[in-house]
Amino acid sequence: EVHLLESGGGLVQPGGSLRLSCAASGFTFSTYAMTWVRQAPGKGLEWVSIISGSGASTTHVESVKGRFTISRDNSKNTVYLQMNSLGADDTAVYYCARGMTPKIYDFHMDVWGKGTTVTVSS
Amino acid sequence: DIQMTQSPSSVSASVGDRVTITCRASQGISNWLAWYQQKPGKAPKLLIYAASNLQSGVPSRFSGSGSGTDFSLTISSLQPEDFAVYYCQQGDSFPYTFGQGTKVEIK
């Protein structure tokens, strides 16, 4: 069964850092692009970051550029989101999702994890 | 950024009703449009990809159409389990963006 499991969320002070992880199982991980999508409390969905199957291509939404870094370890079937300089606007449920091809272009998400909650507060 | 505008923002409907949700992109996105269903406290679920392709395992009462800037999701006969929020998403250009969501409520 195809499965994604996020971890690493929690309460962090403004200006702090967190690293989210997403462990994948049930499919050939390196042949799919992976992405992070977040959802602030009571709000809609916001795409955050994406990485190609090989890990060679990445990009982020403008609001997190320079603060968030997406990476992956295909030997561990895991994708990561390193989040620095966190602010209240980053408070959200963070979902890991799988793309339908290895590339970051022409992108839809066919498998989602259950999400991990990040709360930025003093 | 490409803005995705869904209408209506909410709709009240009864079991068995036909429901159509529209999504308009601020610029052409070819057919790179997906629809997701989200229930409270749950992750989104892919229903339709590339505008009109039904995702495996999704009931055939869901269908999608459109290209360019105007798209629609139709539920042909609403079932109790279909009451949820629906989002469109463009996968054509960075940053990928979602519509604001359409809540389908019980009438």
Side-chain angles (χ1 to χ4, degrees), chain B residues 12-66:
Chain B
S12 294
S14 302
V15 172
D17 284 354
R18 181 182 182 91
V19 173
T20 297
I21 300 167
T22 64
C23 180
R24 175 165 288 179
S26 60
Q27 64 189 72
I29 58 171
S30 184
N31 67 334
W32 293 110
L33 192 285
W35 292 96
Y36 302 88
Q37 176 194 66
Q38 187 179 33
K39 296 181 178 179
K42 302 294 186 182
K45 172 187 174 183
L46 178 65
L47 301 175
I48 301 287
Y49 64 95
S52 60
N53 294 275
L54 189 69
Q55 173 67 356
S56 176
V58 174
S60 60
R61 63 181 179 272
F62 291 93
S63 64
S65 65

Side-chain angles (χ1 to χ4, degrees), chain A residues 37 39 43-47 50 59-62 95 100 103-110 112-115, chain B residues 31-34 36 38 42-46 49-51 55 87 89-92 94-100:
Chain A
V37 174
Q39 187 168 35
K43 301 299 184 181
L45 301 168
E46 180 184 32
W47 170 78
I50 191 169
T59 192
H60 306 267
V61 70
E62 193 64 33
Y95 294 103
M100 302 179 79
K103 59 190 178 82
I104 64 172
Y105 304 102
D106 305 328
F107 190 81
H108 299 318
M109 295 152 269
D110 67 344
W112 294 66
K114 293 185 176 182
Chain B
N31 67 334
W32 293 110
L33 192 285
Y36 302 88
Q38 187 179 33
K42 302 294 186 182
K45 172 187 174 183
L46 178 65
Y49 64 95
Q55 173 67 356
Y87 294 94
Q89 174 249 331
Q90 66 84 12
D92 180 78
F94 296 121
Y96 297 140
T97 46
F98 292 86
Q100 81 277 17

